[in-house]
Amino acid sequence: MNGSTVALLRDVLRSEATASPFLRDLQRALAEPPHSISPKYFYDDAGSRLFERICELPEYYPTRTETSILATHAADIAREIGTGCDLVEFGAGSCTKVRLLLRDLQPRRFIPIDISGAHLEQAAAALEREHPGLLVLPLAGDYTQVVHLPPPLPGARRVGFFPGSTIGNFTPSEALDFLRSAARLLRGGGLLLGADLVKDPAVLHAAYNDAQGVTAEFNLNLLARANREIGTDFDLDRFWHSAFYNAAERRIEMHLVSRARQQVHVGGRPYLLEEGQALHTENSYKFGVEGLRRLAREAGFTPGPVWTDPDHLFSVHWLHAPD
Ligand code: AVJ
């Protein structure tokens, strides 16, 4: 390469760096209220690993509860959905939950979509090894953006799987939009949806403020990731993890709170943070069973059976998508 080619390349790389959506969204969040950023930025490789540790915590009941619901009712669920479908999972992570369904559901193909690409490739390869004959087609990407799926398998109904109450990360209007596009995408099939239920706020509070501090580390990883990827200079010791239940909005909110008045640099620009200033990093909405069915109906689904645990902590819904 000659000198001018190198210079050109450098320019391209630099403009790509400033075009980074993470950099742009973080600058926006720091510049003006509402000081908030999408929780999708939690999930780099380290963040995905931290989330898996959260799922094992004694206080974090959702994963364990949903897993037991799926394991207990797998045969019922498969009877409702029918075998031989073309299965798509939104935010598949390490593809742990789908394993509970595969034996009964017998899909013809499985398309896991996840924002954490490296993580997904590994998970998909492991799944294929365990289930010879199952066609696994991983798609690395953001499922909140327009999803371009491969053409449907001829004769196979398209079924969506959206477990974990990830739907709770959306605002009510975003959830409606997501469900509307899912109902279109899954016409003739349907969506198997996991939703966390409204419950004693003390139980919710414990689940997002675990004794080991893993959730705090997960929250702070957003700043650690910014330091690694976009050259920011956050000092993680100068932020608190804050998570609380906002009962009026029926949601857990997570924030990163500045412990002091301080200056940080993002993309070369300085930002002043006041002592106590909060960066809102996540909402995790909780649902009533009937409220969720109403939302699904409004989005164009025909709600079917709902499976819950004996303590009514979590719910799994089969939502039929009419033709
Ligand atoms: C993956 C969005 C379902 O809201 O409980 C766990 C993420 N945040 N602990 C949730 C999360 C803090 C989780 N979801």
Side-chain angles (χ1 to χ4, degrees):
M1 270 190 282
N2 63 31
S4 66
T5 314
V6 171
L8 188 67
L9 243 169
R10 237 184 238 127
D11 275 356
V12 169
L13 287 174
R14 189 174 310 120
S15 63
E16 238 162 26
T18 42
S20 148
F22 186 23
L23 176 60
R24 180 202 60 206
D25 287 354
L26 191 55
Q27 284 185 325
R28 232 174 251 168
L30 293 174
E32 62 204 51
H35 298 296
S36 70
I37 188 160
S38 166
K40 71 183 177 193
Y41 294 117
F42 285 143
Y43 300 96
D44 67 344
D45 242 43
S48 296
R49 274 198 306 273
L50 284 165
F51 180 65
E52 304 220 311
R53 282 178 59 203
I54 289 176
C55 293
E56 314 259 287
L57 292 169
E59 299 96 332
Y60 194 74
Y61 64 85
T63 311
R64 190 173 320 113
T65 310
E66 185 180 42
T67 297
S68 90
I69 295 170
L70 293 173
T72 307
H73 301 287
D76 275 357
I77 292 169
R79 208 169 304 121
E80 210 53 55
I81 297 177
T83 55
C85 71
D86 192 5
L87 187 63
V88 183
E89 182 172 352
F90 305 103
S94 47
C95 305
T96 310
K97 286 172 188 161
V98 77
R99 285 182 165 83
L100 301 163
L101 299 172
L102 289 178
R103 203 193 43 188
D104 291 295
L105 196 55
Q106 298 283 323
R108 283 190 30 212
R109 180 169 69 176
F110 177 52
I111 307 176
I113 307 174
D114 203 274
I115 199 162
S116 182
H119 203 72
L120 178 69
E121 290 293 332
Q122 283 174 21
L127 199 63
E128 237 168 4
R129 274 196 304 277
E130 285 165 43
H131 294 267
L134 176 68
L135 183 58
V136 183
L137 263 185
L139 279 187
D142 179 356
Y143 60 82
T144 63
Q145 307 293 313
V146 182
V147 183
H148 294 285
L149 292 177
L153 290 175
R157 293 191 310 154
R158 197 163 250 172
V159 169
F161 184 39
F162 195 31
S165 202
T166 307
I167 186 145
N169 271 171
F170 296 139
T171 64
S173 93
E174 289 167 347
L176 186 59
D177 286 347
F178 173 81
L179 289 174
R180 278 203 179 113
S181 13
R184 247 189 326 259
L185 191 72
L186 303 169
R187 262 191 309 259
L191 180 66
L192 187 66
L193 175 68
D196 197 10
L197 297 175
V198 167
K199 61 182 59 62
D200 182 345
V203 174
L204 292 171
H205 187 270
Y208 293 84
N209 291 279
D210 65 278
Q212 289 174 58
V214 184
T215 308
E217 207 184 319
F218 174 72
N219 196 7
L220 285 159
N221 179 58
L222 190 124
L223 303 181
R225 177 187 186 176
N227 288 347
R228 285 191 293 268
E229 280 185 19
I230 53 176
T232 53
D233 56 358
F234 292 106
D235 177 353
L236 272 58
D237 291 335
R238 301 186 84 188
F239 292 87
W240 282 299
H241 160 71
S242 167
F244 58 88
Y245 186 58
N246 178 339
E249 299 289 344
R250 294 201 193 181
R251 68 190 190 203
I252 286 280
E253 293 184 18
M254 294 216 307
H255 299 260
L256 290 162
V257 181
S258 181
R259 291 181 186 236
R261 185 179 163 91
Q262 60 179 311
Q263 201 177 53
V264 295
H265 294 87
V266 180
R269 265 182 234 161
Y271 296 86
L272 182 69
L273 298 183
E274 294 299 336
E275 181 178 8
Q277 186 176 327
L279 174 64
H280 189 172
T281 50
E282 185 174 45
N283 285 321
S284 182
Y285 282 84
K286 308 304 167 190
F287 303 87
V289 165
E290 280 317 311
L292 193 111
R293 286 164 66 86
R294 226 177 296 126
L295 185 69
R297 221 174 272 121
E298 202 181 330
F301 285 102
T302 307
V306 186
W307 297 274
T308 59
D309 55 294
D311 298 322
H312 216 73
L313 295 173
F314 201 92
S315 60
V316 175
H317 300 246
W318 170 240
L319 306 172
H320 177 67
D323 288 306

